[in-house]
Amino acid sequence: MPDWEPKIVTFLCNWCSYEAADLAGISRLQYPSNIRVIRVPCTGRMSPKFILAAFGKGADGVWVSGCHPGECHYIAGNYYARRKFSLFKSLIEYMGIEPGRLHFSWISAAEGAKFAEVAIKVIKTVKDLGPSKYFIKKINDRAA
Amino acid sequence: MLGYITKIRTISERLLKESRVDMVIGFRKGTVPMMNEPCIVKSPENVKELVWDSNCGINLANYLTNRKEKIAIIAKGCDSRNIVTHIIENKIKRDQMFIIGVPCKGMIDRHKIASMFEREIIEVVEEENKIIVRGNDSEKVFKKTEVLQENCAICVHRNPVIYDELVADLVEEQKDVDRYEDVRRIEAMQPEKKQDYFNNLLSACIRCYACRNACPLCYCPTCFVDESRPQWLGKSIDSVDIKTFHLLRAFHCAGRCTDCGACERACPMGINVRLFTKKLEKDCLELYGWEAGLSLKERPPLDTYRPDDPEDFIK
Ligand code: SF4
Ligand code: SF4
Ligand code: FES
C-alpha cells in the first residue's frame, strides 16, 4: 500500500491545544494533514467511549491533547483525565492494540511549534504501524 | 465453614426478633448443585432457610444498591469490600446496615467441577475440606483446595474488612500470593499474540450480560450497553463489539473491583472475564498504591488525583 495515509482522530481541548493548532496554522508551520480534529471542552470531558468509537469506526490512531497539569481551565480536569488515560491506555494495549496507536500530550495555547512537532511524531508513528485492523468493526453501520 | 450456619441463623433471628433490622440478606440452598441463591429473610421463623457453604460465591453487596430499609447482610471478605465501595459511592449508608462478617475459606469453582464430568452433576456434598461430587454415573472426591475458585485461591482479604459481628474467629490470611501471574504473562506478549489471545478468549461470549448483572459495581441507571443516542456500543456479536464491551465493562470497574469473582462465576460460557478487571487492579496498585474497598476514608483512584501522578506516556 504505497500511498496509504493514516487517519488520526484528534481530540483537542478548547482552551489550549485547539488554540495551539490555530497558532500553528497562523504561523504557517507545516505538518501532514492526517489528523481530524474534534474539539472538546476539556480533557476531563474525554470518555474512553470516544476513543473506542474512533477506533471502531476506522481510525488508525487517536491523539488526545490538553492543557499542561496545573493549567486546566477547570482547575483539575486534566489531573483526573491523566489517571483515566493511564489506565485506559494500559488496558487497551494489554488487549492487543499496538502501543503507537494511542497518543496523549499537553500543549498550551502558546505552543504552536510543539503542536506541529507532536503532530508530525504522532502521524509518523501511526503510519509506520500501517492500517489498523484489530479494533475496527467490519460490518459497520454504513454497510447495513 | 460449615459450622457457620448455626451462628448465622442465631444472629439473624435475634436481629429480626428485636426489630433491629427489616431484613437479612443471605443465601439459601439453590435448586441446582453448586448454585446457592441469594435470599431475603424478613421474619424470624424463616431464618432456617439461610445456609452457608462453599457455594456462596455470589456477591451479596449487589442486593444493597439504593435500599432504604435497615438491613443485615452476610458478608465474606470480598462482599465486605464491595460494601465499603457502596458506602463511599453513596449507594447505601453504614448505619442502615448490620454486617454479619464471615471469615471465608474460599468458594468452589462450579465451572471447573462441571468440566470434569461428562454428564450432569446430581449432587455436591461438602465435608470439612472435602468436596464429594456425584454425577449421573460417577462419583469423585476432591480436596477443597483443588477446586477453589481461582480468585479465592489468590485471595488476600478473606476476612471481612468491616462488620458488626463475626460468625467465627478470623481466619489466617494467605501470604506470599502472586496475584498477577496471568496478567503478567499476557503483558509480556507481542500485540499480535495478545490479539489472538483475546479474540480467542472472547469468541464464546454471547453478550448475555450475566457478568455485568452479577457485579455489585454495575448500577448505572442506563448502562452504556443500552445507550442508543448515540449508540456507543454496537449490539452485535462482532468481535469488535464484544471486545469493546469487555474493555468498557472492566474500565467502569477500575479501582472498584474487589476480584470477588461473581462475574466469572455467572458467565454461562465459562469465560475468564476477571482477566480484564485484574489488569486494572494491578495497574491501580502499581500506579496509585490502591486496593479497592479497604477504607471508608480514602477516595477511589479515579475520583482523586495527585499532582505528581505518573505521566511518562504523555508527550
Ligand atoms: S468486576 Fe467481577 S470480580 Fe470485580 S467486583 Fe464486579 S463481579 Fe466482582
Ligand atoms: S457473562 Fe459471559 S457470555 Fe455473558 S456477556 Fe459476560 S462474558 Fe459474555
Ligand atoms: S481545560 Fe484544557 S485540559 Fe481542562
Side-chain angles (χ1 to χ4, degrees), chain A residues 48 84 87-88 91, chain B residues 59 62 81-82 85 89 210-220 223-224 245-264 273-285 290-293 300-303:
Chain A
K84 282 198 265 180
L87 295 176
F88 182 77
L91 182 60
Chain B
N59 192 324
N62 201 14
R81 293 172 64 198
N82 280 98
T85 306
E89 294 177 0
C211 48
R212 172 199 66 172
N213 292 358
C215 177
L217 302 172
C218 287
Y219 56 65
C220 294
C223 176
F224 70 93
F245 163 63
H246 283 282
L247 197 160
L248 281 174
R249 183 189 86 81
F251 194 73
H252 285 186
C253 302
R256 308 163 68 220
C257 172
T258 59
D259 201 33
C260 70
C263 47
E264 195 162 303
V273 291
R274 286 170 43 251
L275 276 176
F276 302 98
T277 44
K278 270 179 82 185
K279 163 67 178 161
L280 288 159
E281 183 192 297
K282 173 171 179 280
D283 283 353
C284 284
L285 184 65
W290 172 262
E291 276 184 281
L302 288 181
D303 189 38

Short mmCIF file of all heavy atoms in Angstrom, two decimals, chain A residues 48 84 87-88 91, chain B residues 59 62 81-82 85 89 210-220 223-224 245-264 273-285 290-293 300-303:
data_model
loop_
_atom_site.label_atom_id
_atom_site.label_comp_id
_atom_site.label_asym_id
_atom_site.label_seq_id
_atom_site.Cartn_x
_atom_site.Cartn_y
_atom_site.Cartn_z
N PRO A 48 -13.56 7.16 27.54
CA PRO A 48 -12.97 6.09 26.74
C PRO A 48 -13.87 5.69 25.58
O PRO A 48 -13.40 5.18 24.57
CB PRO A 48 -12.84 4.93 27.73
CG PRO A 48 -13.35 5.39 29.03
CD PRO A 48 -13.70 6.82 28.95
N LYS A 84 -7.38 8.52 34.17
CA LYS A 84 -8.19 7.72 33.24
C LYS A 84 -7.35 7.27 32.06
O LYS A 84 -7.43 6.11 31.65
CB LYS A 84 -9.38 8.55 32.72
CG LYS A 84 -10.53 8.69 33.67
CD LYS A 84 -11.79 9.14 32.91
CE LYS A 84 -11.95 10.65 32.96
NZ LYS A 84 -13.14 11.16 32.24
N LEU A 87 -4.80 4.39 32.84
CA LEU A 87 -5.41 3.07 32.97
C LEU A 87 -5.97 2.59 31.64
O LEU A 87 -5.86 1.42 31.28
CB LEU A 87 -6.52 3.10 34.04
CG LEU A 87 -6.06 3.38 35.46
CD1 LEU A 87 -7.26 3.49 36.40
CD2 LEU A 87 -5.12 2.29 35.97
N PHE A 88 -6.56 3.52 30.90
CA PHE A 88 -7.18 3.13 29.63
C PHE A 88 -6.14 2.68 28.62
O PHE A 88 -6.28 1.64 27.97
CB PHE A 88 -8.00 4.29 29.07
CG PHE A 88 -8.69 3.92 27.78
CD1 PHE A 88 -9.84 3.14 27.80
CD2 PHE A 88 -8.18 4.32 26.56
CE1 PHE A 88 -10.47 2.78 26.62
CE2 PHE A 88 -8.80 3.95 25.38
CZ PHE A 88 -9.95 3.18 25.40
N LEU A 91 -4.83 -0.64 29.48
CA LEU A 91 -5.78 -1.74 29.26
C LEU A 91 -5.95 -2.06 27.78
O LEU A 91 -5.95 -3.23 27.39
CB LEU A 91 -7.14 -1.39 29.88
CG LEU A 91 -8.23 -2.46 29.78
CD1 LEU A 91 -7.81 -3.76 30.46
CD2 LEU A 91 -9.55 -1.97 30.37
N ASN B 59 -21.95 -12.23 44.96
CA ASN B 59 -21.60 -11.10 45.82
C ASN B 59 -22.86 -10.40 46.31
O ASN B 59 -23.59 -9.77 45.54
CB ASN B 59 -20.73 -10.12 45.03
CG ASN B 59 -20.09 -9.08 45.92
OD1 ASN B 59 -20.71 -8.63 46.89
ND2 ASN B 59 -18.86 -8.70 45.61
N ASN B 62 -24.39 -6.69 45.86
CA ASN B 62 -25.20 -6.37 44.68
C ASN B 62 -26.67 -6.12 45.04
O ASN B 62 -27.39 -5.47 44.30
CB ASN B 62 -25.11 -7.56 43.71
CG ASN B 62 -25.46 -7.18 42.29
OD1 ASN B 62 -25.53 -6.00 41.96
ND2 ASN B 62 -25.69 -8.17 41.46
N ARG B 81 -15.77 -5.77 51.15
CA ARG B 81 -15.06 -4.71 50.42
C ARG B 81 -15.98 -4.02 49.42
O ARG B 81 -15.87 -2.82 49.19
CB ARG B 81 -13.83 -5.29 49.72
CG ARG B 81 -12.78 -5.77 50.70
CD ARG B 81 -11.68 -6.53 49.98
NE ARG B 81 -10.93 -5.68 49.07
CZ ARG B 81 -10.16 -6.14 48.08
NH1 ARG B 81 -10.07 -7.44 47.87
NH2 ARG B 81 -9.50 -5.31 47.31
N ASN B 82 -16.90 -4.77 48.85
CA ASN B 82 -17.86 -4.12 47.96
C ASN B 82 -18.88 -3.31 48.75
O ASN B 82 -19.40 -2.32 48.25
CB ASN B 82 -18.56 -5.15 47.06
CG ASN B 82 -17.68 -5.53 45.89
OD1 ASN B 82 -17.00 -6.54 45.91
ND2 ASN B 82 -17.64 -4.68 44.87
N THR B 85 -17.19 -0.10 49.23
CA THR B 85 -17.27 0.65 47.98
C THR B 85 -18.66 1.27 47.82
O THR B 85 -18.80 2.43 47.45
CB THR B 85 -16.94 -0.26 46.79
OG1 THR B 85 -15.66 -0.86 47.04
CG2 THR B 85 -16.88 0.50 45.49
N GLU B 89 -19.56 5.27 47.66
CA GLU B 89 -20.22 5.76 46.45
C GLU B 89 -21.68 6.15 46.73
O GLU B 89 -22.48 6.32 45.80
CB GLU B 89 -20.15 4.70 45.35
CG GLU B 89 -18.71 4.46 44.88
CD GLU B 89 -18.58 3.35 43.83
OE1 GLU B 89 -19.59 2.75 43.43
OE2 GLU B 89 -17.43 3.10 43.40
N ALA B 210 -24.62 -11.41 31.79
CA ALA B 210 -24.68 -12.00 33.13
C ALA B 210 -23.52 -11.50 33.97
O ALA B 210 -23.66 -11.25 35.17
CB ALA B 210 -24.64 -13.52 33.05
N CYS B 211 -22.35 -11.30 33.34
CA CYS B 211 -21.18 -10.82 34.09
C CYS B 211 -21.45 -9.44 34.66
O CYS B 211 -21.11 -9.13 35.80
CB CYS B 211 -19.93 -10.81 33.20
SG CYS B 211 -20.15 -10.06 31.59
N ARG B 212 -22.10 -8.60 33.87
CA ARG B 212 -22.43 -7.27 34.35
C ARG B 212 -23.47 -7.34 35.45
O ARG B 212 -23.38 -6.68 36.48
CB ARG B 212 -22.96 -6.43 33.18
CG ARG B 212 -23.50 -5.10 33.63
CD ARG B 212 -24.43 -4.49 32.60
NE ARG B 212 -25.66 -5.25 32.42
CZ ARG B 212 -26.69 -4.85 31.68
NH1 ARG B 212 -26.62 -3.69 31.05
NH2 ARG B 212 -27.77 -5.58 31.56
N ASN B 213 -24.49 -8.15 35.24
CA ASN B 213 -25.58 -8.20 36.21
C ASN B 213 -25.15 -8.74 37.57
O ASN B 213 -25.71 -8.36 38.59
CB ASN B 213 -26.73 -9.04 35.67
CG ASN B 213 -27.39 -8.37 34.49
OD1 ASN B 213 -27.01 -7.26 34.10
ND2 ASN B 213 -28.37 -9.01 33.90
N ALA B 214 -24.16 -9.62 37.56
CA ALA B 214 -23.74 -10.21 38.83
C ALA B 214 -22.88 -9.24 39.64
O ALA B 214 -22.67 -9.44 40.83
CB ALA B 214 -22.95 -11.49 38.56
N CYS B 215 -22.41 -8.21 38.98
CA CYS B 215 -21.41 -7.35 39.63
C CYS B 215 -22.05 -6.25 40.46
O CYS B 215 -22.88 -5.50 39.96
CB CYS B 215 -20.51 -6.72 38.57
SG CYS B 215 -19.32 -5.58 39.26
N PRO B 216 -21.65 -6.14 41.73
CA PRO B 216 -22.22 -5.09 42.58
C PRO B 216 -21.84 -3.68 42.13
O PRO B 216 -22.46 -2.71 42.54
CB PRO B 216 -21.64 -5.40 43.96
CG PRO B 216 -20.46 -6.26 43.72
CD PRO B 216 -20.71 -6.99 42.44
N LEU B 217 -20.83 -3.58 41.29
CA LEU B 217 -20.39 -2.24 40.86
C LEU B 217 -21.27 -1.69 39.75
O LEU B 217 -21.25 -0.50 39.45
CB LEU B 217 -18.95 -2.30 40.37
CG LEU B 217 -17.93 -2.83 41.36
CD1 LEU B 217 -16.60 -3.03 40.67
CD2 LEU B 217 -17.79 -1.90 42.54
N CYS B 218 -22.00 -2.57 39.07
CA CYS B 218 -22.75 -2.14 37.89
C CYS B 218 -24.14 -1.70 38.28
O CYS B 218 -25.06 -2.53 38.33
CB CYS B 218 -22.80 -3.26 36.87
SG CYS B 218 -21.23 -3.49 36.08
N TYR B 219 -24.30 -0.44 38.57
CA TYR B 219 -25.63 0.03 38.98
C TYR B 219 -26.06 1.30 38.26
O TYR B 219 -26.98 1.97 38.68
CB TYR B 219 -25.68 0.23 40.50
CG TYR B 219 -24.61 1.17 41.04
CD1 TYR B 219 -24.61 2.51 40.70
CD2 TYR B 219 -23.62 0.70 41.89
CE1 TYR B 219 -23.63 3.36 41.19
CE2 TYR B 219 -22.64 1.55 42.38
CZ TYR B 219 -22.65 2.87 42.03
OH TYR B 219 -21.69 3.71 42.50
N CYS B 220 -25.39 1.69 37.18
CA CYS B 220 -25.79 2.90 36.47
C CYS B 220 -27.25 2.78 36.02
O CYS B 220 -27.66 1.72 35.58
CB CYS B 220 -24.94 3.12 35.22
SG CYS B 220 -23.24 3.45 35.60
N CYS B 223 -27.04 1.62 31.53
CA CYS B 223 -25.72 1.05 31.26
C CYS B 223 -25.28 1.47 29.86
O CYS B 223 -26.10 1.62 28.96
CB CYS B 223 -25.82 -0.46 31.36
SG CYS B 223 -24.29 -1.31 30.96
N PHE B 224 -23.98 1.62 29.66
CA PHE B 224 -23.50 2.03 28.33
C PHE B 224 -23.91 1.04 27.24
O PHE B 224 -24.03 1.40 26.09
CB PHE B 224 -21.97 2.21 28.34
CG PHE B 224 -21.20 0.92 28.48
CD1 PHE B 224 -20.77 0.24 27.35
CD2 PHE B 224 -20.91 0.39 29.72
CE1 PHE B 224 -20.07 -0.95 27.46
CE2 PHE B 224 -20.21 -0.81 29.85
CZ PHE B 224 -19.79 -1.48 28.71
N PHE B 245 -17.18 -4.08 24.53
CA PHE B 245 -18.00 -4.31 25.72
C PHE B 245 -17.12 -4.70 26.91
O PHE B 245 -17.22 -4.11 27.99
CB PHE B 245 -19.04 -5.41 25.46
CG PHE B 245 -19.64 -5.97 26.72
CD1 PHE B 245 -20.39 -5.15 27.56
CD2 PHE B 245 -19.43 -7.29 27.09
CE1 PHE B 245 -20.92 -5.65 28.75
CE2 PHE B 245 -19.96 -7.79 28.27
CZ PHE B 245 -20.70 -6.98 29.10
N HIS B 246 -16.25 -5.64 26.70
CA HIS B 246 -15.45 -6.12 27.82
C HIS B 246 -14.46 -5.08 28.31
O HIS B 246 -14.23 -4.94 29.51
CB HIS B 246 -14.76 -7.44 27.46
CG HIS B 246 -15.70 -8.59 27.51
ND1 HIS B 246 -16.09 -9.18 28.69
CD2 HIS B 246 -16.39 -9.23 26.54
CE1 HIS B 246 -16.97 -10.14 28.44
NE2 HIS B 246 -17.17 -10.18 27.14
N LEU B 247 -13.92 -4.35 27.38
CA LEU B 247 -12.99 -3.29 27.78
C LEU B 247 -13.72 -2.26 28.64
O LEU B 247 -13.26 -1.88 29.72
CB LEU B 247 -12.40 -2.65 26.53
CG LEU B 247 -11.15 -1.82 26.72
CD1 LEU B 247 -10.42 -1.67 25.40
CD2 LEU B 247 -11.40 -0.45 27.29
N LEU B 248 -14.88 -1.82 28.17
CA LEU B 248 -15.60 -0.78 28.91
C LEU B 248 -16.17 -1.30 30.22
O LEU B 248 -16.16 -0.61 31.24
CB LEU B 248 -16.71 -0.18 28.05
CG LEU B 248 -16.24 0.85 27.02
CD1 LEU B 248 -17.40 1.27 26.13
CD2 LEU B 248 -15.62 2.08 27.68
N ARG B 249 -16.67 -2.50 30.19
CA ARG B 249 -17.20 -3.06 31.44
C ARG B 249 -16.10 -3.06 32.51
O ARG B 249 -16.28 -2.58 33.61
CB ARG B 249 -17.71 -4.49 31.24
CG ARG B 249 -18.34 -5.08 32.53
CD ARG B 249 -18.65 -6.56 32.42
NE ARG B 249 -17.50 -7.39 32.78
CZ ARG B 249 -17.15 -7.69 34.03
NH1 ARG B 249 -17.85 -7.24 35.04
NH2 ARG B 249 -16.08 -8.44 34.26
N ALA B 250 -14.93 -3.55 32.10
CA ALA B 250 -13.83 -3.60 33.05
C ALA B 250 -13.41 -2.19 33.47
O ALA B 250 -13.19 -1.91 34.64
CB ALA B 250 -12.65 -4.35 32.44
N PHE B 251 -13.35 -1.31 32.49
CA PHE B 251 -12.88 0.05 32.80
C PHE B 251 -13.80 0.73 33.82
O PHE B 251 -13.34 1.46 34.69
CB PHE B 251 -12.79 0.88 31.52
CG PHE B 251 -12.02 2.16 31.72
CD1 PHE B 251 -10.64 2.12 31.86
CD2 PHE B 251 -12.67 3.38 31.80
CE1 PHE B 251 -9.92 3.29 32.08
CE2 PHE B 251 -11.95 4.55 32.03
CZ PHE B 251 -10.58 4.50 32.16
N HIS B 252 -15.10 0.46 33.69
CA HIS B 252 -16.03 1.04 34.67
C HIS B 252 -15.79 0.50 36.07
O HIS B 252 -16.25 1.08 37.05
CB HIS B 252 -17.46 0.77 34.24
CG HIS B 252 -17.90 1.63 33.09
ND1 HIS B 252 -19.17 1.65 32.61
CD2 HIS B 252 -17.20 2.51 32.33
CE1 HIS B 252 -19.25 2.50 31.59
NE2 HIS B 252 -18.07 3.03 31.40
N CYS B 253 -15.13 -0.61 36.15
CA CYS B 253 -14.86 -1.21 37.47
C CYS B 253 -13.47 -0.84 37.98
O CYS B 253 -13.04 -1.29 39.04
CB CYS B 253 -14.99 -2.72 37.40
SG CYS B 253 -16.60 -3.27 36.82
N ALA B 254 -12.75 -0.02 37.20
CA ALA B 254 -11.37 0.31 37.57
C ALA B 254 -11.30 0.95 38.95
O ALA B 254 -12.02 1.90 39.23
CB ALA B 254 -10.77 1.26 36.53
N GLY B 255 -10.46 0.42 39.79
CA GLY B 255 -10.28 0.98 41.12
C GLY B 255 -11.42 0.64 42.07
O GLY B 255 -11.46 1.12 43.19
N ARG B 256 -12.35 -0.18 41.60
CA ARG B 256 -13.51 -0.51 42.42
C ARG B 256 -13.65 -2.01 42.58
O ARG B 256 -14.24 -2.49 43.55
CB ARG B 256 -14.78 0.04 41.77
CG ARG B 256 -14.69 1.52 41.42
CD ARG B 256 -15.77 1.92 40.41
NE ARG B 256 -17.10 1.86 40.98
CZ ARG B 256 -18.18 1.40 40.32
NH1 ARG B 256 -18.05 0.96 39.09
NH2 ARG B 256 -19.35 1.38 40.90
N CYS B 257 -13.14 -2.74 41.59
CA CYS B 257 -13.30 -4.19 41.58
C CYS B 257 -12.52 -4.82 42.73
O CYS B 257 -11.38 -4.45 43.00
CB CYS B 257 -12.81 -4.75 40.25
SG CYS B 257 -12.73 -6.54 40.18
N THR B 258 -13.15 -5.79 43.40
CA THR B 258 -12.51 -6.45 44.53
C THR B 258 -12.08 -7.87 44.16
O THR B 258 -11.69 -8.64 45.02
CB THR B 258 -13.49 -6.54 45.71
OG1 THR B 258 -14.64 -7.28 45.27
CG2 THR B 258 -13.92 -5.16 46.17
N ASP B 259 -12.22 -8.22 42.90
CA ASP B 259 -11.93 -9.56 42.42
C ASP B 259 -12.73 -10.62 43.18
O ASP B 259 -12.22 -11.66 43.56
CB ASP B 259 -10.42 -9.87 42.51
CG ASP B 259 -10.02 -11.00 41.57
OD1 ASP B 259 -10.63 -11.12 40.50
OD2 ASP B 259 -9.12 -11.78 41.93
N CYS B 260 -14.00 -10.30 43.38
CA CYS B 260 -14.87 -11.24 44.10
C CYS B 260 -15.19 -12.46 43.25
O CYS B 260 -15.63 -13.49 43.76
CB CYS B 260 -16.17 -10.56 44.51
SG CYS B 260 -17.25 -10.18 43.12
N GLY B 261 -15.05 -12.32 41.94
CA GLY B 261 -15.28 -13.46 41.06
C GLY B 261 -16.73 -13.70 40.68
O GLY B 261 -17.03 -14.67 39.97
N ALA B 262 -17.62 -12.83 41.12
CA ALA B 262 -19.04 -13.06 40.82
C ALA B 262 -19.31 -13.04 39.32
O ALA B 262 -20.12 -13.81 38.81
CB ALA B 262 -19.92 -12.02 41.52
N CYS B 263 -18.61 -12.16 38.60
CA CYS B 263 -18.82 -12.05 37.16
C CYS B 263 -18.43 -13.35 36.46
O CYS B 263 -19.18 -13.90 35.65
CB CYS B 263 -18.00 -10.88 36.59
SG CYS B 263 -16.30 -10.82 37.15
N GLU B 264 -17.26 -13.84 36.82
CA GLU B 264 -16.76 -15.03 36.17
C GLU B 264 -17.63 -16.24 36.49
O GLU B 264 -17.92 -17.08 35.66
CB GLU B 264 -15.34 -15.27 36.66
CG GLU B 264 -14.58 -16.24 35.83
CD GLU B 264 -13.11 -16.11 36.10
OE1 GLU B 264 -12.57 -15.00 35.91
OE2 GLU B 264 -12.50 -17.09 36.51
N VAL B 273 -13.49 -13.59 32.62
CA VAL B 273 -13.61 -12.14 32.44
C VAL B 273 -12.81 -11.35 33.47
O VAL B 273 -12.59 -10.15 33.31
CB VAL B 273 -15.08 -11.66 32.48
CG1 VAL B 273 -15.83 -12.14 31.26
CG2 VAL B 273 -15.78 -12.14 33.73
N ARG B 274 -12.34 -12.04 34.50
CA ARG B 274 -11.53 -11.35 35.51
C ARG B 274 -10.18 -10.92 34.95
O ARG B 274 -9.49 -10.09 35.54
CB ARG B 274 -11.33 -12.23 36.74
CG ARG B 274 -12.57 -12.35 37.60
CD ARG B 274 -12.40 -13.42 38.68
NE ARG B 274 -11.11 -13.37 39.32
CZ ARG B 274 -10.15 -14.29 39.13
NH1 ARG B 274 -10.34 -15.32 38.35
NH2 ARG B 274 -9.00 -14.16 39.75
N LEU B 275 -9.79 -11.49 33.83
CA LEU B 275 -8.50 -11.10 33.25
C LEU B 275 -8.47 -9.61 32.94
O LEU B 275 -7.40 -8.99 32.94
CB LEU B 275 -8.24 -11.89 31.97
CG LEU B 275 -7.64 -13.27 32.16
CD1 LEU B 275 -7.53 -13.97 30.83
CD2 LEU B 275 -6.27 -13.17 32.84
N PHE B 276 -9.62 -9.03 32.65
CA PHE B 276 -9.65 -7.59 32.34
C PHE B 276 -9.60 -6.76 33.62
O PHE B 276 -8.81 -5.83 33.75
CB PHE B 276 -10.93 -7.25 31.56
CG PHE B 276 -11.07 -8.01 30.28
CD1 PHE B 276 -11.86 -9.15 30.21
CD2 PHE B 276 -10.39 -7.60 29.16
CE1 PHE B 276 -11.98 -9.86 29.02
CE2 PHE B 276 -10.50 -8.31 27.96
CZ PHE B 276 -11.29 -9.44 27.90
N THR B 277 -10.47 -7.13 34.56
CA THR B 277 -10.50 -6.35 35.79
C THR B 277 -9.22 -6.50 36.61
O THR B 277 -8.79 -5.57 37.27
CB THR B 277 -11.72 -6.75 36.66
OG1 THR B 277 -11.82 -8.18 36.66
CG2 THR B 277 -12.99 -6.16 36.10
N LYS B 278 -8.61 -7.66 36.50
CA LYS B 278 -7.37 -7.85 37.26
C LYS B 278 -6.23 -6.98 36.73
O LYS B 278 -5.38 -6.52 37.47
CB LYS B 278 -6.93 -9.32 37.19
CG LYS B 278 -7.51 -10.15 38.32
CD LYS B 278 -7.09 -11.59 38.20
CE LYS B 278 -5.70 -11.83 38.77
NZ LYS B 278 -5.29 -13.22 38.53
N LYS B 279 -6.23 -6.79 35.42
CA LYS B 279 -5.22 -5.91 34.84
C LYS B 279 -5.35 -4.51 35.45
O LYS B 279 -4.37 -3.89 35.85
CB LYS B 279 -5.39 -5.87 33.31
CG LYS B 279 -4.70 -4.73 32.61
CD LYS B 279 -3.19 -4.84 32.69
CE LYS B 279 -2.52 -3.70 31.93
NZ LYS B 279 -1.12 -3.51 32.35
N LEU B 280 -6.58 -4.04 35.55
CA LEU B 280 -6.80 -2.71 36.13
C LEU B 280 -6.47 -2.68 37.61
O LEU B 280 -5.93 -1.71 38.13
CB LEU B 280 -8.25 -2.28 35.90
CG LEU B 280 -8.57 -1.92 34.45
CD1 LEU B 280 -10.05 -2.01 34.17
CD2 LEU B 280 -8.05 -0.52 34.13
N GLU B 281 -6.79 -3.77 38.26
CA GLU B 281 -6.47 -3.87 39.69
C GLU B 281 -4.96 -3.75 39.89
O GLU B 281 -4.47 -3.02 40.75
CB GLU B 281 -6.99 -5.21 40.21
CG GLU B 281 -6.80 -5.42 41.70
CD GLU B 281 -7.07 -6.86 42.10
OE1 GLU B 281 -8.22 -7.33 41.93
OE2 GLU B 281 -6.14 -7.53 42.59
N LYS B 282 -4.24 -4.46 39.04
CA LYS B 282 -2.78 -4.44 39.13
C LYS B 282 -2.25 -3.03 38.85
O LYS B 282 -1.39 -2.52 39.58
CB LYS B 282 -2.21 -5.44 38.11
CG LYS B 282 -0.70 -5.43 37.96
CD LYS B 282 -0.27 -6.60 37.08
CE LYS B 282 1.24 -6.66 36.86
NZ LYS B 282 1.72 -5.74 35.83
N ASP B 283 -2.77 -2.40 37.81
CA ASP B 283 -2.31 -1.04 37.50
C ASP B 283 -2.63 -0.06 38.63
O ASP B 283 -1.81 0.79 38.97
CB ASP B 283 -2.97 -0.54 36.20
CG ASP B 283 -2.31 -1.15 34.96
OD1 ASP B 283 -1.29 -1.85 35.13
OD2 ASP B 283 -2.82 -0.94 33.84
N CYS B 284 -3.82 -0.16 39.20
CA CYS B 284 -4.19 0.75 40.28
C CYS B 284 -3.26 0.58 41.48
O CYS B 284 -2.91 1.54 42.16
CB CYS B 284 -5.63 0.52 40.73
SG CYS B 284 -6.82 1.19 39.59
N LEU B 285 -2.86 -0.66 41.71
CA LEU B 285 -1.96 -0.92 42.81
C LEU B 285 -0.56 -0.35 42.50
O LEU B 285 0.04 0.35 43.31
CB LEU B 285 -1.88 -2.43 43.06
CG LEU B 285 -1.04 -2.87 44.25
CD1 LEU B 285 -1.67 -2.36 45.55
CD2 LEU B 285 -0.93 -4.40 44.32
N TRP B 290 -3.28 1.51 45.30
CA TRP B 290 -4.68 1.40 45.71
C TRP B 290 -5.19 -0.03 45.68
O TRP B 290 -4.96 -0.76 44.72
CB TRP B 290 -5.54 2.25 44.78
CG TRP B 290 -7.01 2.06 44.97
CD1 TRP B 290 -7.81 1.26 44.21
CD2 TRP B 290 -7.84 2.66 45.96
NE1 TRP B 290 -9.11 1.34 44.68
CE2 TRP B 290 -9.16 2.18 45.75
CE3 TRP B 290 -7.62 3.55 47.01
CZ2 TRP B 290 -10.23 2.57 46.54
CZ3 TRP B 290 -8.70 3.93 47.80
CH2 TRP B 290 -9.98 3.45 47.56
N GLU B 291 -5.87 -0.41 46.73
CA GLU B 291 -6.63 -1.66 46.73
C GLU B 291 -8.07 -1.30 47.10
O GLU B 291 -8.31 -0.61 48.09
CB GLU B 291 -6.09 -2.63 47.78
CG GLU B 291 -4.92 -3.46 47.34
CD GLU B 291 -4.55 -4.44 48.44
OE1 GLU B 291 -3.89 -4.00 49.40
OE2 GLU B 291 -4.95 -5.61 48.37
N ALA B 292 -9.01 -1.79 46.32
CA ALA B 292 -10.40 -1.36 46.47
C ALA B 292 -11.04 -1.87 47.76
O ALA B 292 -10.76 -2.97 48.22
CB ALA B 292 -11.22 -1.83 45.28
N GLY B 293 -11.88 -1.04 48.32
CA GLY B 293 -12.76 -1.47 49.39
C GLY B 293 -12.13 -1.71 50.74
O GLY B 293 -12.68 -2.43 51.56
N PRO B 300 -11.72 6.63 45.93
CA PRO B 300 -11.20 5.69 44.92
C PRO B 300 -10.33 6.41 43.88
O PRO B 300 -10.49 7.62 43.67
CB PRO B 300 -12.46 5.11 44.28
CG PRO B 300 -13.58 5.99 44.69
CD PRO B 300 -13.19 6.70 45.93
N PRO B 301 -9.43 5.69 43.24
CA PRO B 301 -8.37 6.33 42.44
C PRO B 301 -8.86 7.20 41.30
O PRO B 301 -8.19 8.16 40.94
CB PRO B 301 -7.55 5.16 41.90
CG PRO B 301 -8.40 3.96 42.07
CD PRO B 301 -9.31 4.23 43.22
N LEU B 302 -10.02 6.89 40.70
CA LEU B 302 -10.45 7.74 39.60
C LEU B 302 -11.29 8.92 40.09
O LEU B 302 -11.76 9.72 39.29
CB LEU B 302 -11.21 6.93 38.54
CG LEU B 302 -10.32 5.99 37.72
CD1 LEU B 302 -11.13 5.24 36.68
CD2 LEU B 302 -9.18 6.74 37.06
N ASP B 303 -11.43 9.03 41.39
CA ASP B 303 -12.18 10.16 41.94
C ASP B 303 -11.22 11.12 42.64
O ASP B 303 -11.62 11.96 43.42
CB ASP B 303 -13.23 9.63 42.92
CG ASP B 303 -14.19 10.73 43.36
OD1 ASP B 303 -14.55 11.56 42.52
OD2 ASP B 303 -14.56 10.75 44.55
#
